[in-house]
Amino acid sequence: MRRIVLTGATGFVGAHAIPALQARGFEIHALGRRPPAAEVAFHPVDLLDAASVRDVLDAVRASHLLHLAWYAEPRLYWRSAVNLDWVAASLALVRAFREAGGARAVVAGTCAEYAWGPDCLREDAPCAPATLYGAAKDGTRRILEAYAGETGLSFAWGRLFFLYGPGEKPGRLVGDAIRALAAGARFGTSPGHQRRDFSHVADAAGAFAALVDAGVVGPVNVGSGAAVPVRAILERIGRLTDRPDLIDFGARPLADSEPACIEADVSRLHREVGFQPRFDLDAGLRATLTAHNSRP
C-alpha cells in the first residue's frame, strides 16, 4: 500500500478526497489542526510551523503528497495577506516532503491564476492573476515547478474551477441558494448571465486522486469543461426546491471586473489523467439538495 500525506483533509475538497484516495489503495496520513471524520492516520500539526511539519514528514516517510490546504474564508481570501503565509508554508512543505524521500507531489491551484477572457482556458493560457490570492497561487506553482525540475520530484498542479456540493461553507453560491430556498427565504442575486464552470466537489476530489495516481506533470485543469450561466444553475435549484419564485435576479449588481465566461479546457484531465466525472450538473444539484435535506 502506497503512503500519502494529505493536507486540508477537513476542508471542502479534502473530506471528499479521502474515500477517493482510499479507493486507489493509498494509506492516508492527514496533517492539520483537526482530525478528519474518516478513519485515517492523523498527525496534529500547524502547517504554518515549518519545523514541526518537517519533523512529521521525516517520521511518516510518504511516497506521495496531496496538498489541498490554504486559507479559504469565503470572500476574504481573495485579498488577504494570509495568502503570503500559505505561499511560505507550501514551499516548506513540498521541500520537506522531497527531502524526506517523497517522490510525487500534487498541489491545488486555482483558475484565478489565469488572465480571464472570453476563451476556454487551457493550461498553456497566459497567467495574469487579478487578485492577491491568484498571484500567490501562481507564484507558488512557478517556484515549485522549478524546484521539482532541480530535484527530480514528480510534480503536478491541479487548477480548480468552481465547486458546489455537500459541506459548502456559507458564502458560496450554490450552498447559499439551496439553504435559502429550502428554508422559504428570498435569495437575491445578480442578473446571472455570467457563465461559470461548476463541478460537484466529489468529482473534483476524484480528479485530484486520479492526478496523484497518474504520472502527468505540470498544470492540469480541474473543472467540468462546460460553463453554464449562473442564472440557469439557480433556476435549476428553484425547480428542485419548488421555490423559483423566491429568486430575485438583478437584486445585486455584478461587478464590472467579473468576466462574461470562465470555462476550463479539461482535455488533459480526461485524456492524460484518464478521469471522467460521476455527476452532470442536474445529478450533482439533486445530490446536493438531498444531502442538505438529510441533515439533522
Side-chain angles (χ1 to χ4, degrees):
M1 183 176 285
R2 294 165 298 169
R3 182 174 296 175
I4 186 168
V5 164
L6 173 64
T7 72
T10 60
F12 189 32
V13 178
H16 293 269
I18 290 175
L21 290 168
Q22 289 173 330
R24 291 177 176 272
F26 283 98
E27 173 193 306
I28 300 172
H29 289 253
L31 274 60
R33 294 178 178 173
R34 296 183 292 110
E39 291 187 7
V40 299
F42 173 64
H43 305 268
V45 66
D46 181 353
L47 291 171
L48 300 181
D49 182 345
S52 297
V53 169
R54 178 175 292 275
D55 289 343
V56 172
L57 293 176
D58 284 342
V60 172
R61 295 284 167 176
S63 56
H64 292 69
L65 166 68
L66 176 55
H67 178 37
L68 300 174
W70 197 276
Y71 176 70
E73 192 66 30
R75 299 190 181 96
L76 300 180
Y77 70 92
W78 292 105
R79 296 176 175 82
S80 174
V82 176
N83 284 294
L84 304 185
D85 298 331
W86 282 97
V87 173
S90 300
L91 300 181
L93 172 74
V94 174
R95 178 179 179 181
F97 166 74
R98 181 58 176 157
E99 292 179 352
R104 178 160 176 79
V106 174
V107 179
T110 171
C111 63
E113 298 166 50
Y114 287 118
W116 288 336
D119 299 323
C120 189
L121 295 166
R122 292 181 14 157
E123 288 85 354
D124 58 0
C127 286
T131 64
L132 177 56
Y133 169 68
K137 287 284 192 175
D138 181 47
T140 301
R141 190 264 309 169
R142 292 173 187 270
I143 295 169
L144 289 179
E145 279 192 335
Y147 175 74
E150 293 292 334
T151 62
L153 175 68
S154 176
F155 175 72
W157 182 263
R159 285 196 180 119
L160 272 169
F161 281 66
F162 297 86
L163 299 177
Y164 68 93
E168 264 190 288
K169 287 184 177 180
R172 300 172 67 102
L173 176 74
V174 172
D176 283 358
I178 286 176
R179 280 186 289 270
L181 300 186
R186 304 207 67 82
F187 185 74
T189 186
S190 72
H193 301 302
Q194 70 276 25
R195 296 168 56 228
R196 297 291 181 265
D197 188 318
F198 274 89
S199 295
H200 190 283
V201 65
D203 280 336
F208 272 107
L211 186 54
V212 167
D213 212 8
V216 175
V217 298
V220 176
N221 287 334
V222 177
S224 71
V228 176
V230 165
R231 189 182 192 95
I233 295 172
L234 294 175
E235 287 172 343
R236 283 173 164 90
I237 295 172
R239 289 194 296 269
L240 288 170
T241 57
D242 293 323
R243 296 311 309 262
D245 55 302
L246 294 178
I247 305 173
D248 295 328
F249 289 110
R252 297 179 181 177
L254 186 67
D256 292 339
S257 59
E258 286 284 344
C261 181
I262 302 174
E263 182 176 68
D265 182 318
V266 292
S267 299
R268 289 204 82 198
L269 181 64
H270 291 173
R271 296 175 188 170
E272 297 181 43
V273 179
F275 176 77
Q276 294 295 330
R278 290 170 47 206
F279 295 97
D280 62 19
L281 182 61
D282 288 322
L285 290 175
R286 285 196 301 270
T288 303
L289 179 59
T290 297
H292 171 81
N293 290 339
S294 66
R295 294 178 62 186

